[in-house]
Amino acid sequence: MKKDFTPALLDFGALQIYLARHFGFCYGVENAIEIAFHTIKENPGKKIFLLSEMIHNPQVNEDLQQRGIRFLQDTYGRQLISFDELNADDIVIIPAFGTTLEMEKKLKQIGIRTEKYNTTCPFVEKVWNRSEQIAKKNYTIIVHGKPRHEETRATFSHAAFNAPTVVVNDMKEAKILAKYIRGEKPAAEFTEDFKNQYSEGFNVQEHLQRIGVVNQTTMLASDTQEIADLLKQTMIDHYGLTEANSAERFADTRDTLCYATYDNQEAATGMLKVNADIAIVVGGYNSSNTSHLVELCEKKLTTYFISSEEKILSSTEILHYNFHTKEELLTANYLPIHLPARILITSGASCPDALVEAVIRKLVSFYPENISMEKMVESFERGK
């Protein structure tokens, strides 16, 4: 059945909020958090570490730290606690992004069982499995992802174990890679163009003859598809193929797109069809999937990226994040002056629903003539 991506209208009177049909926690995030809290409960007195942030949400990570969990590394893999402090009796939780084969090996050498406390998202593992499948058919793996992101580093490690692998960050880099496929750029320049983004022993002349594209699951689905289409057409044109026999040079990997990321993005697109005044996106500032929701909304209307309701300072001021420049900005008079005010709201896959509710309550409080949140909930209950 065709999915309905029409947003839910919360009509408070003077304020109308259009809430995305799909938003917030996905299965992978919920599963990871559940495992982490269960581990804490079942192991009182034990030293428990997280390899890095559980998910890209400051509130969730702070909660885990308050319960005694310590982070071994930061988001970019920089060491916070030496591995020399670990022993075989300690617990190390692998975050939802997964980890590299090299890291798994290092932990196992210490005697730490990684399989029992591994919260890697099943959809990330699906990408790894698909990479292995096409590697067995002698395809080189092209990973569309952010090179420094934990998930991309993990996917690169797993892919590179089975096949030559290169990471492309965006369409610009994909077009550069296409030039190497067509022989339009000298192979000697590859190491600089893709510095720290290719597997050991990568040979441009040899390893770009058969390729397949997989992705960091939180990338913009349309971007991954555009990159895959570009590289597929490059192979067809360069080798004189047709759509029918393109598999000789290009592996079909459409099934590596995460359904939750896709649904959230499609729901944001559906929400943007509403004639609204502004959009608010809630989530962690270092969250890849949240930044892509912001990117979608920005194309249509003024968008404010906030991490919690605390960033809404008052009815006249909001502190929001510009993910392009990596800085927080203070904006005045952000709310529309006409009534009813129409606001679109969505959130990233690592954002708890309670944060979205808190944002809505804060906005509602600025319009005293509104009906209350409680009455709004009652009306929805009656409508079931």
Side-chain angles (χ1 to χ4, degrees), residues 128 130-144 155-168 177 190 194 197-214 231 249 251:
W128 300 350
R130 190 73 178 99
S131 297
E132 183 178 358
Q133 290 169 7
I134 64 175
K136 289 178 179 177
K137 297 179 181 178
N138 298 317
Y139 290 98
T140 289
I141 310 300
I142 313 298
V143 181
H144 173 219
T155 295
F156 174 82
S157 172
H158 284 258
F161 180 77
N162 296 299
T165 303
V166 61
V167 176
V168 295
L177 189 67
F190 181 84
F194 292 94
Q197 293 175 217
Y198 60 90
S199 56
E200 186 176 352
F202 196 95
N203 185 302
V204 175
Q205 288 93 347
E206 180 184 348
H207 294 148
L208 291 177
Q209 295 182 23
R210 285 166 59 85
I211 62 173
V213 178
V214 298
L231 294 177
R249 299 283 179 173

Side-chain angles (χ1 to χ4, degrees), residues 5-222:
F5 292 110
T6 306
L9 170 60
L10 307 180
D11 191 349
F12 294 97
L15 172 65
Q16 294 179 346
I17 288 177
Y18 291 86
L19 189 61
R21 178 69 62 173
H22 298 274
F23 67 92
F25 277 177
C26 61
Y27 168 78
V29 167
E30 288 182 338
N31 181 61
I33 293 173
E34 184 178 338
I35 291 174
F37 285 114
H38 181 74
T39 300
I40 295 170
K41 182 179 178 181
E42 294 297 312
N43 295 278
K46 272 202 169 189
K47 288 195 296 180
I48 303 175
F49 300 89
L50 254 168
L51 191 54
S52 62
E53 290 187 354
M54 169 59 68
I55 57 175
H56 286 159
N57 182 273
Q59 290 83 3
V60 172
N61 290 312
E62 184 179 340
D63 191 1
L64 291 169
Q65 287 177 308
Q66 289 176 349
R67 294 168 188 261
I69 286 185
R70 300 166 67 195
F71 291 174
L72 292 172
Q73 298 177 323
D74 68 8
T75 298
Y76 301 106
R78 292 184 290 254
Q79 209 67 30
L80 300 176
I81 299 173
S82 172
F83 285 104
D84 292 337
E85 292 189 29
L86 302 180
N87 61 61
D89 293 328
D90 295 334
I91 294 173
V92 175
I93 302 173
I94 307 297
F97 312 109
T99 192
T100 64
L101 292 171
E102 296 79 11
M103 182 58 67
E104 286 185 10
K105 181 179 179 181
K106 181 179 290 188
L107 293 173
K108 287 177 181 177
Q109 287 174 341
I110 298 172
I112 292 174
R113 295 174 58 194
T114 58
E115 68 280 357
K116 188 174 181 181
Y117 304 104
N118 189 341
T119 75
T120 303
C121 172
F123 292 96
V124 173
E125 292 179 329
K126 180 181 178 182
V127 175
W128 300 350
N129 294 335
R130 190 73 178 99
S131 297
E132 183 178 358
Q133 290 169 7
I134 64 175
K136 289 178 179 177
K137 297 179 181 178
N138 298 317
Y139 290 98
T140 289
I141 310 300
I142 313 298
V143 181
H144 173 219
K146 299 179 179 179
R148 298 185 67 194
H149 192 281
E150 300 101 313
E151 183 189 325
T152 297
R153 297 201 309 267
T155 295
F156 174 82
S157 172
H158 284 258
F161 180 77
N162 296 299
T165 303
V166 61
V167 176
V168 295
N169 184 49
D170 50 26
M171 179 60 82
K172 180 181 177 181
E173 289 191 356
K175 289 180 178 178
I176 293 173
L177 189 67
K179 289 184 178 181
Y180 285 108
I181 293 172
R182 293 191 297 264
E184 296 173 2
K185 290 202 73 176
E189 295 180 6
F190 181 84
T191 54
E192 185 59 33
D193 284 340
F194 292 94
K195 188 176 182 179
N196 299 322
Q197 293 175 217
Y198 60 90
S199 56
E200 186 176 352
F202 196 95
N203 185 302
V204 175
Q205 288 93 347
E206 180 184 348
H207 294 148
L208 291 177
Q209 295 182 23
R210 285 166 59 85
I211 62 173
V213 178
V214 298
N215 65 300
Q216 176 187 322
T217 60
T218 55
M219 298 301 279
L220 199 58
S222 58

